[in-house]
């Protein structure tokens, strides 16, 4: 019987696997011709990274050499591009005009790199990373040395960066998103990955929006949207791939994102199949090799007329950079009804996501040995309820009975390391407890350093104390921040500074958080602590703020918002009042009310109107009054000596100065000030967080008042002679509170906890300390005094104010 004619367009891994299966199952069934646009045989593209780094050669990654094609009677046309397909005539036309007929056609055109159309993207020195020609270009460029910039911090980008670094280049990775490989890793995994990449001497810049590639005759650098310029001689664009569908589309074959195929890998055209990265199956396109091989087996059976069906793939990911172990699989996003199991150790992060007692997602970093086992559980939909308690430890512990925690620690060998930071093993700790008569955690820290650094081993050390001392040991009752950690607020703050932790993922990983991303209690607190401790370095995380702070207005019971512009010291002008009146009319704002803080509140503003309202108020010179903030709210004043016959000092002027000094500052809780011009106290300064009562001798500074759910008169801090001294002490007092206060702790509660004597010693008695704290406050204000309304008017976080899609009557939900 005469063999049927099979034409294959493309010679990648998917096409090669189809042919392998075909020849193994029914050799001689087809007379095969392969058109390969590349001038070479089939090679393993996922091993391009070791070729780039110099760990392997092209010959090492060949899948099918020339002998294989000859042995199987395949007519391989190297460097032959197919320009057209005629599905009616059942022919293809190559670039040289030759027409070839077929009985069956297999389209395996793969994918192409996404090219960002930046200015300069066509300059010599700009390369992509998809095939051996790209690798050859990078290797050639690396011989000249210099700096390479890799745009894209995904799988391909990081592998390219590691390869170029291994070739001797200085390398910078620019990534648009906050963390690397955000599609394959959660923020905790991304943090560890970035640290490992940076440890290799590769610079990583996240949230980097590349604006242009610079150069005249060839690449000379890149410029970011924030104005930074990075000199370089090579730019690698590795920002994603796109199915190569042009040939199929021109032939009239159905194409969506990819060439549309059914479960048998058949396209919309008779006798035309497609496999690999170019296809779209059930709405999904794949860029990993495992799905391509699964498709290939089905395509081969379809070509042979055998029953087979491809039903989609569950994928897993590994990063091919030597020494960096990363694995992820399935769906690890947060969602209703999902639970997570998290394990952290120095350099190790494991997270399993469960739903309905089944594993649906996994992220592993540092220790990926059990990745395959987890993947099998995930793909098989295995019920894991019985092994849930030990699941995170892998198959070696699967199904084992949960251990008593103290007994498990007692059973550890003496050389088992307990404190990874300081390299302290169990035997050292137990010996110190018994030999030195230690009775508490602080004693163990002092004598062994165990638990003295990151503190994540504290529970383990405490279990050793229990196991050694029995009932004689009573653990300190420090309430943890939340269920995500055993550490209290003060310990977390101490460790953020001591370990120089500058991001939420860094805090969670290094301090052994029990959850992957924290909760509504700890995330806002961590966000504040990082803002306070690292001004100018840590970027505020909007998603860790409550809704009022995210939209910079207070939500009301009917879902509308209130808008309060700032009025310095309670002063306003006719122009400001006209602007407020015009805004109220223009946006049909139903209620305009004077507040207790000497400001005007516009109530009933629609969320989508907020930016326009702020724009109009901004034109009159008004900024956000931060009536929603855990920070400075108001400085209430009386008219003082300028108008009042009893006034002793210019209380209004001082109030304005204080408000202009302190606006924009974030603090553990809201802060309200008052300045009264005389002891008659018309500004009610003696129930504020910080109050100043002007007297003939100067300025009496008060603090720790309250007038909300709790009512408390202020305490007198000191009396000073000048405005300058008063302002310095207020700045120092505020900064001390910012650095010692626990999140959501008002000043009067903080003062009661730490004691008035310690506060007075720091900001009154010790001039050097006072100036130290005041200087830190002013330094922080350099980065904090940015009007959020103006930023939003300029388009920042515009998605917060975009209305949901307008639905017509026929589309509205019932």
């Amino acid at each position: 019987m005469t063999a049927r004619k099979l034409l294959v367009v493309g010679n990648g891994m998917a096409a090669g696997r189809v042919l392998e299966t075909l020849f193994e199952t029914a050799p001689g069934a087809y007379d095969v011709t392969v058109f390969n646009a590349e001038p070479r045989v089939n090679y393993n593209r996922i091993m391009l990274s070791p070729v780039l780094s110099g760990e392997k050669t092209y010959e090492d990654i060949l899948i099918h050499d020339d002998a294989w094609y000859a042995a199987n009677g395949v007519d391989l046309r190297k460097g032959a591009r197919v320009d057209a397909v005629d599905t009616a005539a059942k022919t293809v036309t190559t670039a040289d005009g030759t027409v070839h007929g077929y009985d069956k056609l297999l389209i395996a055109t793969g994918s192409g790199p996404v090219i960002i159309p930046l200015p300069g993207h066509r300059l010599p020195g700009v390369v992509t990373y998809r095939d051996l020609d790209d690798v050859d270009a990078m290797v050639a460029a690396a011989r000249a040395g210099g700096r390479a910039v890799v745009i894209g911090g995904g799988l391909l980008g990081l592998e390219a960066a590691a390869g170029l670094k291994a070739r001797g280049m200085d390398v910078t990775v620019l990534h648009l998103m906050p963390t690397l490989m955000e599609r394959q890793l959660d923020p905790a995994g991304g943090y560890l990955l970035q640290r490992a990449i940076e440890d290799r001497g590769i610079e990583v810049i996240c949230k980097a929006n590349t604006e242009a590639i610079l150069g005249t005759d060839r690449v000379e650098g890149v410029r970011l949207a924030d104005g930074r310029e990075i000199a370089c001689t090579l730019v690698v664009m590795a920002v994603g791939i796109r199915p190569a569908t042009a040939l199929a589309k021109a032939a009239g074959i159905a194409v969506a994102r990819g060439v549309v195929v059914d479960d048998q890998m058949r396209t919309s055209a008779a006798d035309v199949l497609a496999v690999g990265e170019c296809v779209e199956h059930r709405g999904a396109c794949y860029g990993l090799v495992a799905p391509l091989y699964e498709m290939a087996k089905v395509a081969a059976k379809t070509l042979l007329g055998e029953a087979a069906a491809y039903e989609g793939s569950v994928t897993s990911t590994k990063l091919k950079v030597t020494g960096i172990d990363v694995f992820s699989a399935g769906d690890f996003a947060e969602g209703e009804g999902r639970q997570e199991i998290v394990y952290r150790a120095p350099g190790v992060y494991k997270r399993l996501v469960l739903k309905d007692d089944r594993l649906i997602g996994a992220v592993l970093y540092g220790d990926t040995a059990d990745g395959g086992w987890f993947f099998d559980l995930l793909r098989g939909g295995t019920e894991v309820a019985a092994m849930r308690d030990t699941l995170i430890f892998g198959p070696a512990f699967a199904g084992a009975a949960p251990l008593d925690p103290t007994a498990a620690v007692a059973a550890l060998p003496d050389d088992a390391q307990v404190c990874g930071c300081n390299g302290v093993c169990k035997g050292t700790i137990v010996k110190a407890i018994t030999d030195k008569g230690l009775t508490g955690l602080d004693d163990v820290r002092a004598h062994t350093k165990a638990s003295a650094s990151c503190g994540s081993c504290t529970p383990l050390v405490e279990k050793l104390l229990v196991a050694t001392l029995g009932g004689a040991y009573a653990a300190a009752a420090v309430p943890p921040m939340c269920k995500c950690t055993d550490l209290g607020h003060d310990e977390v703050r101490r460790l953020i500074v001591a370990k120089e932790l500058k991001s939420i993922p860094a805090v969670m990983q290094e301090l052994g958080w029990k959850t992957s991303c924290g909760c509504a209690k700890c995330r806002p607190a961590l966000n504040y602590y990082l803002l306070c401790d690292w001004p100018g370095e840590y970027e505020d995380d909007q998603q860790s703020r409550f809704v009022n702070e995210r939209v910079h207005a207070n939500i009301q019971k009917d879902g509308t918002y209130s808008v309060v512009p700032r009025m310095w010291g309670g002063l306003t002008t006719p122009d400001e009042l006209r602007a407020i009146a015009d805004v109220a009319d223009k946006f049909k704002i139903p209620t305009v009310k004077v507040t207790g803080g000497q400001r005007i509140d516009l109530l009933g503003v629609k969320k989508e109107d907020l930016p326009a309202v702020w724009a109009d108020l901004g034109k009159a010179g008004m900024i956000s009054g931060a009536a929603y903030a855990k920070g400075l709210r108001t400085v209430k004043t009386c008219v003082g000596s300028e108008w009042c016959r009893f006034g002793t000092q210019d209380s209004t002027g001082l109030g304005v100065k204080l408000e202009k000094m302190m606006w924009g500052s974030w603090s553990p809780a809201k802060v309200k000030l008052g300045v009264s011009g005389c002891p008659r106290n018309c500004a009610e300064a003696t129930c504020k967080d910080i109050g100043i009562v002007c007297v003939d001798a100067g300025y009496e500074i008060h603090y720790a008042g309250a007038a909300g759910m709790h009512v408390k008169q202020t305490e007198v801090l000191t009396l000073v002679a000048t405005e300058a001294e008063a302002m310095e002490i207020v700045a120092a007092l505020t900064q001390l509170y910012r650095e010692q206060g626990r999140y959501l702790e008002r000043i009067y509660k903080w003062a009661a906890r730490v004691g008035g004597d310690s506060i007075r010693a720091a900001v009154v008695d010790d001039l050097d300390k006072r100036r130290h704290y005041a200087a830190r406050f002013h330094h922080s204000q350099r980065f904090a005094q940015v009007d959020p309304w103006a930023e939003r008017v300029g388009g920042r976080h515009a998605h917060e104010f975009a209305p949901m899609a307008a639905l017509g009557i026929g589309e509205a939900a019932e």
Side-chain angles (χ1 to χ4, degrees), residues 4-325:
R4 291 172 291 174
K5 184 68 177 176
L6 171 64
L7 300 187
V8 181
V9 183
N11 193 34
M13 297 171 71
R17 183 55 61 95
V18 172
L19 295 181
E20 279 182 0
T21 307
L22 203 59
F23 298 150
E24 289 170 4
T25 308
Y30 281 95
D31 175 14
V32 180
T33 299
V34 176
F35 299 97
N36 187 13
E38 288 189 60
R40 53 183 66 92
V41 294
N42 183 19
Y43 59 91
N44 188 342
R45 291 170 192 269
I46 66 174
M47 297 305 287
L48 285 174
S49 297
V51 176
L52 176 59
S53 65
E55 297 169 83
K56 290 184 181 294
T57 65
Y58 165 61
E59 287 72 21
D60 292 332
I61 66 169
L62 289 181
I63 296 176
H64 301 132
D65 58 13
D66 287 309
W68 182 87
Y69 291 97
N72 289 286
V74 176
D75 179 8
L76 173 62
R77 307 288 180 94
K78 299 176 184 175
R81 190 182 74 243
V82 173
D83 280 352
V85 174
D86 186 335
T87 58
K90 301 181 71 169
T91 62
V92 304
T93 303
T94 53
D96 63 3
T98 307
V99 177
H100 304 264
Y102 65 78
D103 295 307
K104 297 285 184 180
L105 175 67
L106 178 65
I107 296 176
T109 45
S111 63
V114 173
I115 307 292
I116 308 173
L118 296 169
H121 74 279
R122 297 185 190 279
L123 283 169
V126 178
V127 300
T128 57
Y129 186 27
R130 286 300 296 159
D131 57 29
L132 197 65
D133 291 335
D134 295 330
V135 171
D136 289 343
M138 284 190 272
V139 170
R143 291 193 187 102
R147 176 170 295 277
V149 168
V150 178
I151 302 176
L155 274 171
L156 280 179
L158 295 180
E159 290 175 10
L164 290 168
K165 185 66 181 176
R167 292 279 182 180
M169 295 195 82
D170 296 325
V171 182
T172 298
V173 175
L174 303 179
H175 192 51
L176 185 62
M177 303 306 289
T179 56
L180 298 175
M181 285 180 61
E182 74 285 348
R183 295 178 64 184
Q184 293 87 15
L185 295 176
D186 59 14
Y191 157 73
L192 281 172
L193 176 59
Q194 180 171 343
R195 201 177 65 175
I197 295 291
E198 290 172 338
D199 286 345
R200 290 167 172 256
I202 297 171
E203 181 184 27
V204 177
I205 304 176
C206 289
K207 299 182 183 178
N209 186 9
T210 308
E211 186 177 76
I213 299 172
L214 308 175
T216 305
D217 298 322
R218 63 167 296 110
V219 166
E220 296 175 5
V222 299
R223 182 172 62 237
L224 305 183
D226 62 10
R228 279 182 289 180
E229 293 188 359
I230 303 169
C232 64
T233 56
L234 176 69
V235 171
V236 181
M237 210 173 275
V239 292
I241 58 173
R242 181 179 292 128
T245 60
L247 182 68
K249 191 172 185 179
I253 297 171
V255 170
R257 279 195 301 149
V259 180
V260 177
V261 296
D262 62 13
D263 289 356
Q264 284 69 47
M265 309 312 297
R266 297 175 299 202
T267 71
S268 62
D271 297 317
V272 180
L273 288 77
V275 292
E277 293 177 344
C278 66
V279 310
E280 177 176 330
H281 174 262
R282 298 187 185 182
C285 298
Y286 297 93
L288 299 171
V289 70
L292 311 190
Y293 282 172
E294 293 171 9
M295 294 178 195
K297 291 180 181 177
V298 173
K301 288 183 178 294
T302 300
L303 285 169
L304 294 172
E306 298 179 7
Y310 174 68
E311 298 178 345
S313 299
V314 178
T315 60
S316 64
T317 300
K318 285 186 177 180
L319 181 68
K320 295 177 292 300
V321 175
T322 303
I324 299 179
D325 297 318

Side-chain angles (χ1 to χ4, degrees), residues 472-685:
Y473 172 68
V478 177
M481 285 181 64
C482 63
K483 62 179 174 55
C484 303
T485 178
D486 294 324
L487 301 173
H489 285 265
D490 300 337
E491 189 70 351
V492 169
R493 295 208 70 172
R494 182 184 72 79
L495 293 168
I496 283 174
V497 176
K499 296 180 72 66
E500 298 188 0
L501 306 177
K502 298 183 180 179
S503 70
I504 289 177
V507 172
M508 292 182 175
Q509 175 61 30
E510 303 304 330
L511 303 189
W513 238 243
K514 298 176 185 175
T515 56
S516 60
C517 301
C519 67
K521 284 186 176 180
C522 61
R523 283 195 72 94
L526 293 180
N527 188 51
Y528 166 69
Y529 296 151
L530 290 163
L531 268 178
C532 179
D533 291 333
W534 307 113
E537 296 184 64
Y538 174 72
E539 184 175 343
D540 190 11
D541 179 15
Q542 287 288 301
Q543 296 310 308
S544 294
R545 290 194 174 278
F546 297 116
V547 60
N548 290 349
E549 295 173 327
R550 287 204 306 274
V551 301
H552 296 274
N554 280 323
I555 192 168
Q556 303 299 304
K557 61 189 293 184
D558 64 352
T560 63
Y561 287 80
S562 80
V563 169
V564 182
R566 191 167 290 284
M567 290 181 174
W568 307 102
L571 293 177
T572 187
T573 66
D575 285 344
E576 289 182 350
L577 293 174
R578 283 191 198 93
I580 290 172
D582 289 345
V583 164
D585 284 342
K586 179 178 178 180
F587 295 95
K588 302 185 187 319
I589 295 171
T591 301
V592 180
K593 186 182 183 305
V594 175
T595 74
Q598 298 181 332
R599 306 194 288 189
I600 293 177
D601 193 352
L602 299 162
L603 291 143
V605 183
K606 296 176 184 174
K607 187 177 183 181
E608 57 267 31
D609 287 342
L610 287 172
V613 167
W614 296 336
D616 285 1
L617 294 173
K619 291 173 185 172
M622 285 182 278
I623 66 171
S624 169
Y628 45 81
K630 292 168 182 57
L632 177 73
R633 296 283 181 89
T634 64
V635 182
K636 189 173 182 178
T637 67
C638 66
V639 296
S641 58
E642 184 177 3
W643 294 98
C644 178
R645 58 197 173 94
F646 301 110
T648 62
Q649 311 287 350
D650 180 13
S651 54
T652 308
L654 176 57
V656 171
K657 291 175 186 173
L658 285 169
E659 191 159 356
K660 292 201 171 183
M661 178 180 78
M662 295 182 62
W663 76 273
S665 59
W666 293 100
S667 49
K670 61 185 177 184
V671 174
K672 295 181 178 180
L673 271 65
V675 183
S676 292
C678 75
R680 288 173 175 78
N681 195 19
C682 292
E684 301 165 336

Side-chain angles (χ1 to χ4, degrees), residues 429 432-440 443-445 447-448 465 469:
I429 297 170
I433 293 171
T434 52
D435 290 357
K436 300 180 184 297
L438 308 183
T439 59
D443 293 338
V444 173
R445 286 172 174 166
H447 286 86
T448 70
L465 281 160
L469 301 177

Side-chain angles (χ1 to χ4, degrees), residues 687-770:
C687 64
K688 301 298 185 187
D689 296 288
I690 300 175
I692 295 179
V693 177
C694 301
V695 295
D696 288 334
Y699 305 86
E700 193 175 78
I701 301 175
H702 294 236
Y703 75 112
M709 292 181 66
H710 297 88
V711 179
K712 178 181 177 297
Q713 186 173 348
T714 53
E715 297 170 27
V716 177
L717 184 63
T718 188
L719 174 68
V720 295
T722 67
E723 260 191 11
E725 288 178 282
M727 292 186 66
E728 184 177 70
I729 288 178
V730 170
L733 174 65
T734 304
Q735 184 64 17
L736 186 66
Y737 164 58
R738 295 179 74 225
E739 294 185 13
Q740 294 183 349
R742 297 169 182 166
Y743 188 65
L744 300 182
E745 186 177 52
R746 293 289 296 269
I747 282 186
Y748 74 93
K749 292 185 177 178
W750 159 70
R753 177 168 61 81
V754 304
D757 290 344
S758 71
I759 295 171
R760 192 169 293 105
V763 303
V764 178
D765 301 339
D766 189 328
L767 184 59
D768 289 340
K769 279 189 178 178
R770 179 201 306 175

